[in-house]
Amino acid sequence: HLSTSGNIFLLLAFVLVAIGAAFIFYRITLPPVPNSKRIFLAALRSLALCLLLLLLFEPILSLVKTFQQEPTIAILLDNSLSMTLPNGTKQRKDFVKENFSEESLKKISSKLSPKLFSFEQKARTLRSIDSMQFNGELTNIAQSISDVKKEMLSQNTQAVLLVSDGNVTEGVNPIYEAEELGVPIYAVGLGDTVEQKDILISKLVTNNVAYAETKLPIDVSVRNVGFDNQNVQVSLLENGKQIEQKIVSLKKEQREIPLSFFVELKNEGMKKFSINVSSLKDELTTSNNSQTVFVNVLKSKTPIVLFAGTPTPDVAAIRQLLNEDGHFAVQTFVQKKQNEFYEGNVSQKVLDSAECFVLVNFPSSATSSQTIQQLAELIQRKQSPLFFVGGKNIDYNKLRLLQNILPFGWNSVSGNELEILCELENQHSSNVLVNASGAITTSTWSSLPPIFKTQTIFEAKAQSDVLAYSRLQTVSLGEPLLMSHIINRQRTVAFVGYGIFRWRLMNGGNSSVQNFLPTFFTNGIRWLTANESDKPIRVAPSKQIFSGSEAIEFSGIVSNEQLQPIDDANVEITITKENFSRSFVLQNIGSGKYNGALDDLDAGDYSYSAKVKRGDLQIGEDKGKFSVGSLTVEFLKTTMDKSLLEQLAYKTGGEFATSENYNALLEKILSRKFEQKENMQHSEIELWHWQYLLYGIIFLFATEWFVRRRSGML
């Protein structure tokens, strides 16, 4: 169908005029030429003029193509590790291989066009049943159904045949995705609904982050199915070396056996802990007899130096809560009189050892300028983190020596006192400093009792984040109360109010308010000292434990000392294990970010080192560990999830059958009436934008000119 933007009758009138004009033009020629040539030249010009007129009316050519689509059935075959478990006298994967080979599919092909998919975490088009490895570490049926839905949108899919044990180990419940599919799902369940004899590690719980010189608790649960009056050995291994073992007596009536291990952590670094339970005769599988976890062990205690201008309740409260935490070594210096502290002189050794400084109501008029100058130079030179808490007795003239470090400025200094409340800045309400990774809520902030600030006017610096403002009863003062900033990798938190001891004492029986100050303050110290995230060079795997079938993905961030991204670096990673070594280079993806992946690594523990070069100069490096090996989650539940498979079938209008009844189910599927689907494809070509039409017009005029020249016409 051809349509135009102008009046079609007007176009026809112009076309007739153009054709007539062309033939009149060639009625008489000099020199005279044969009639056939005159007609040919007139036709060329007529056609060229008509096409030009057509372009002026913006023609659009609409094309409609109709075709018939044969009915298709999508066959989803479980490719996870659980398919290696028994299905009667054979393995579950044997059923798949026997019933969905090219020869076996001929029966389905007689009425439906089968489209094979294998699935574990997602679905993939399957060309041949022989390519299935049955090594998927996780099963995500919802995602797999969604993948098939996208793949089959352009086809006449009228049914789905799902072959699986139904055990979902990743993702959401697939019922919703199944109902959205819009076609019946016929589910074939593999495996037994009755548990067989097995012993396995069903749970391993510990902290992912711990501290050196502490004891790490590891809680384990051993599941016993069907064994009685037998003993097994449960072993704890650190980096493959056994460090503790326990003998467990199995009783048939005790299904879950809880155990606890305690590991003495001595050195910092990434540690790998494994729990193994010895195997027994007649076990269903030994693949679930172990579990592994990685723990990042940090240094034992962070040395903190606290300076206070005068003895106040705030100083006592902060010192107490830091000592209660157990992960900080706090040394306090409270100003006594001119150039003296109650705790004695401040040595350079103490200052150099500090990884964080806390200033409370400091400096005071009794603090020497030399002490402040020494402290300011040290913080700037070492880029030491600083936590500043205000007070009534601060000497702001001496505080100016620290002004380059602080995230705020001030004017109109006044010692007059205001009772204020905290008002969170909505834009930063999810900031880790104010919500402590979810441990503090907005309602907790609004429930805090009032504190104090002087009438000195504080102003946040341009590069600072204002996290909370001062509020006088119901009126916001618009003045910053809590601020933070990071400049040249030096972190600072400043709270210009004081009297924060009230948050702990005046809680009105509200436990969340009572625990607020310790949580808020220690979280702030951890944020200040968490300099690992500010390393200019950071390269790490996407996770610590990979399955044998996964690609080992790495990502890196490369920046200079001012944390400005570097896009022209060469990031080379070398992976080693015993006598094995392999290197590859990460690809630059912009903004100082790099990524890459490595395939086909054998099971085991690996170390990696990343060297980052810019030209011939090495600008940094990073290193760590990861592990490759079969995950056990696919073997934690060894029975068929019949209930889920039945729901998938019945809620979509399909049917469920076990592997023994598969042939009967297949007969029912093929007995249904499946119809061809008429499909229409519609496309439009804007001829006035179509380059070939322009080429045609040029060709017509060029041909006319060529013939005229050859004929010697004027």
Side-chain angles (χ1 to χ4, degrees), residues 517-714:
L517 182 60
T519 304
F520 164 70
F521 209 88
T522 57
N523 176 70
I525 297 292
R526 286 193 175 93
W527 179 82
L528 286 167
T529 55
N531 293 321
E532 183 69 17
S533 62
D534 276 341
K535 288 191 339 183
I537 309 297
R538 284 178 283 149
V539 181
S542 58
K543 55 186 179 181
Q544 293 298 139
I545 303 178
F546 293 90
S547 70
S549 60
E550 284 184 293
I552 315 302
E553 297 180 346
F554 276 82
S555 62
I557 296 178
V558 180
S559 57
N560 57 23
E561 289 299 322
Q562 287 73 43
L563 298 183
Q564 296 170 329
I566 296 175
D567 285 333
D568 58 350
N570 178 273
V571 183
E572 183 179 17
I573 296 179
T574 301
I575 294 174
T576 58
K577 184 192 80 164
E578 298 172 354
N579 297 324
F580 171 86
S581 180
R582 193 168 169 186
S583 300
F584 68 105
V585 177
L586 299 186
Q587 300 298 313
N588 174 29
I589 58 175
S591 301
K593 297 179 181 179
Y594 298 77
N595 64 17
L598 192 67
D599 292 316
D600 304 324
L601 286 185
D602 295 332
D605 299 328
Y606 292 84
S607 298
Y608 72 89
S609 62
K611 293 185 178 180
V612 183
K613 291 184 177 180
R614 202 174 188 185
D616 295 329
L617 178 65
Q618 182 169 320
I619 61 175
E621 61 181 352
D622 205 351
K623 59 183 179 179
K625 296 180 180 180
F626 65 92
S627 181
V628 177
S630 296
L631 304 175
T632 60
V633 64
E634 281 292 314
F635 299 110
L636 292 182
K637 185 177 180 181
T638 57
T639 57
M640 178 209 309
D641 192 339
K642 182 180 178 181
S643 174
L644 176 64
L645 294 174
E646 286 179 333
Q647 288 185 64
L648 287 173
Y650 299 150
K651 284 185 176 291
T652 59
E655 288 191 41
F656 166 80
T658 62
S659 56
E660 290 84 359
N661 301 322
Y662 167 67
N663 288 327
L665 177 66
L666 185 58
E667 292 294 337
K668 288 184 178 180
I669 296 174
L670 297 179
S671 66
R672 283 190 53 188
K673 184 179 180 181
F674 297 103
E675 298 179 352
Q676 290 183 331
K677 178 182 177 183
E678 185 176 86
N679 228 345
M680 297 179 66
Q681 287 184 345
H682 182 270
S683 59
E684 289 186 342
I685 301 175
E686 294 180 335
L687 294 178
W688 50 291
H689 279 163
W690 199 36
Q691 57 182 348
Y692 299 108
L693 187 59
L694 180 60
Y695 295 156
I697 294 171
I698 295 173
F699 174 77
L700 291 171
F701 279 123
T703 303
E704 181 190 2
W705 175 84
F706 178 76
V707 173
R708 287 173 62 90
R709 291 283 293 178
R710 290 294 297 257
S711 302
M713 298 175 63
L714 298 176

Side-chain angles (χ1 to χ4, degrees), residues 148-161:
V148 168
K149 181 181 178 182
K150 295 174 186 176
E151 185 76 16
M152 306 294 284
L153 276 176
S154 60
Q155 302 191 33
N156 182 19
T157 306
Q158 297 197 11
V160 171
L161 180 61

Side-chain angles (χ1 to χ4, degrees), residues 22 29 340 504 562 657:
T29 63
E340 289 186 20
R504 198 170 194 184
Q562 287 73 43

Side-chain angles (χ1 to χ4, degrees), residues 51 74 104 110 131 159 185 282 313 327 342 390 453 462 511 669:
L51 292 177
S104 301
S110 63
S131 63
I185 293 179
D282 299 330
H327 297 131
Y342 285 99
K453 72 171 287 292
S511 59
I669 296 174

Side-chain angles (χ1 to χ4, degrees), residues 38-62:
R38 285 191 296 109
I39 293 172
F40 176 68
L41 290 170
L44 287 176
R45 180 168 294 192
S46 297
L47 184 56
L49 290 174
C50 289
L51 292 177
L52 277 174
L53 286 169
L54 190 64
L55 287 180
L56 294 175
F57 279 76
E58 299 181 351
I60 297 176
L61 180 64
S62 300

